Amino acid sequence: MSERSRDLPRRSCLAVPGSSERFLEKAPGIEADMSFLDLEDSVAPLEKEAARSKVINAIKSLDWDDRVLCVRVNGWDTKWTYQDVIEVVGNAGERLDEVMLPKVSSASEIIALDLLLTQIEANAKLPAGHIGIEAQIETAQGLINVEEICAASSRLEAIVFGPADFAASIEMPVLTGGVEIPDYPGDHFNYVFSKILMAGRANCIQVIDGPYLKIRDIEGLRAYSQRSRILGYDGKWALHPDQVQLLNEVFSPTQEQFDRASDIVEVYKNATETDRKGAVMLGDEMIDEASRKMALKFLSRGERAGLVRSKT
Ligand code: GLV
Ligand code: MG
């Protein structure tokens, strides 16, 4: 895994089609936590090979500040994967943090990519283990195997849900993936969101929700992205620059939550260390060790989002 990017925020993960020089050039100016330069489904088959050098050129020549920088290669069920990886990772240099592998159906696909990366790193004089992996779960088989997939390599930094391909894989009767289905009484993906989240958290990697395809419906995105945020996801994909700011907001704690979390940690520390008590009242609520653990998550996310405690 890439030491640099593993813990960086991924509230907004912007997809950039690798075949478009225009979109590649615009991407660094969009304030996404992560940009991934795509060689997979946003690139037409006839443009796949030419896109590789465009992506390499963009990685090397543009200023990507300190965001997570990733390339999505084509899946192992195509003829492009190994050449995508060899050409891009072999030539992009150290600024590339990660490779995203789509449609992962078993742990062996991650192991194969890990082995390939190890050889490329040695030949390209990259630090050993520099390139991290993000794995997309977007098939029924992938979901069944998600626990083994998340444990397959120390290079894994994030597990990512792909709702559009997933809906196709399970034959869900929808024509737009990753949006609400008002006819369904509840959240049609709740099981999927939860299963992926458990596998990711059990292996200490970030957990990311995929695209919301109605790109002009910003309020719809706000409502829909609350589902995965409330469960505990770290961030979500953006397909358009207009989605980025909203996602940065939705996946950050509010100032009020951050301040409350700071109070919990402080009051609990005093209670345990000075007064030797395991539980104490804060306002009208009893707090204990579990409260501290919940609060620490808000603090680390808030700090990653640049929040500081308000003056009291
Ligand atoms: C993303 O790749 C998706 O299929 O939703
Ligand atoms: Mg997909």
Side-chain angles (χ1 to χ4, degrees):
M1 62 152 176
S2 161
E3 288 301 339
R4 197 193 80 83
S5 59
R6 187 177 183 85
D7 290 322
L8 286 177
R10 285 168 175 78
R11 296 167 303 173
S12 52
C13 309
L14 180 71
V16 188
S19 52
S20 165
E21 275 155 342
R22 190 168 69 89
F23 285 134
L24 287 165
E25 266 163 35
K26 273 178 71 175
I30 299 161
E31 289 189 351
D33 286 343
M34 165 182 172
S35 298
F36 71 90
L37 316 186
D38 191 23
L39 297 175
E40 204 224 14
D41 282 357
S42 68
V43 175
L46 293 175
E47 289 294 322
K48 294 273 187 203
E49 281 155 33
R52 292 177 189 142
S53 54
K54 293 181 186 171
V55 161
I56 296 165
N57 189 35
I59 294 170
K60 294 180 87 147
S61 64
L62 302 174
D63 178 0
W64 295 97
D65 51 49
D66 62 353
R67 77 189 61 195
V68 181
L69 188 56
C70 179
V71 171
R72 179 167 72 162
V73 297
N74 290 280
W76 285 120
D77 58 341
T78 70
K79 62 179 180 180
W80 294 295
T81 320
Y82 75 98
Q83 281 177 330
D84 286 348
V85 181
I86 292 169
E87 195 171 325
V88 174
V89 179
N91 294 291
E94 246 183 86
R95 182 61 189 84
L96 179 64
D97 295 306
E98 307 178 311
V99 168
M100 188 187 304
L101 187 63
K103 300 181 181 70
V104 178
S105 62
S106 69
S108 59
E109 296 185 17
I110 299 294
I111 295 166
L113 177 60
D114 183 329
L115 292 170
L116 184 57
L117 287 170
T118 301
Q119 295 197 352
I120 300 169
E121 284 171 347
N123 287 318
K125 311 238 173 325
L126 292 168
H130 175 72
I131 302 290
I133 297 176
E134 298 213 357
Q136 275 190 281
I137 298 300
E138 36 189 2
T139 61
Q141 201 64 49
L143 188 68
I144 286 171
N145 292 327
V146 67
E147 289 162 27
E148 293 80 32
I149 290 168
C150 285
S153 164
S154 59
R155 290 183 190 269
L156 269 166
E157 297 184 24
I159 188 85
V160 184
F161 177 44
D165 273 305
F166 191 82
S169 167
I170 64 167
E171 302 187 26
M172 194 175 253
V174 292
L175 290 171
T176 312
V179 298
E180 54 287 300
I181 303 181
D183 293 343
Y184 186 83
D187 180 355
H188 56 290
F189 278 146
N190 183 268
Y191 167 72
V192 183
F193 280 140
S194 301
K195 187 166 162 99
I196 294 175
L197 181 69
M198 296 312 135
R201 289 288 176 252
N203 289 282
C204 302
I205 60 177
Q206 294 201 35
V207 186
I208 307 296
D209 188 11
Y212 184 80
L213 290 124
K214 292 186 186 167
I215 53 175
R216 300 204 193 295
D217 183 2
I218 293 296
E219 286 314 307
L221 171 64
R222 183 189 297 279
Y224 196 76
S225 54
Q226 296 291 357
R227 301 179 185 209
S228 49
R229 183 197 72 88
I230 287 171
L231 286 174
Y233 276 56
D234 296 288
K236 184 167 171 63
W237 280 14
L239 297 182
H240 189 277
D242 290 350
Q243 296 183 325
V244 167
Q245 199 191 346
L246 179 118
L247 293 175
N248 288 346
E249 189 191 311
V250 166
F251 284 92
S252 300
T254 62
Q255 185 68 49
E256 198 183 333
Q257 288 168 328
F258 188 80
D259 290 344
R260 171 86 186 162
S262 308
D263 289 349
I264 290 174
V265 171
E266 190 179 298
V267 169
Y268 181 71
K269 187 173 187 309
N270 285 340
T272 48
E273 292 178 12
T274 310
D275 304 336
R276 295 173 168 244
K277 285 188 186 158
V280 66
M281 290 302 284
L282 175 60
D284 54 7
E285 196 186 317
M286 176 77 78
I287 60 166
D288 64 6
E289 176 58 25
S291 318
R292 187 186 73 95
K293 287 202 176 86
M294 290 187 280
L296 288 178
K297 299 292 171 196
F298 279 91
L299 293 186
S300 60
R301 280 173 183 231
E303 278 158 11
R304 284 196 313 209
L307 290 180
V308 287
R309 189 176 184 174
S310 312
K311 299 253 180 311
T312 45

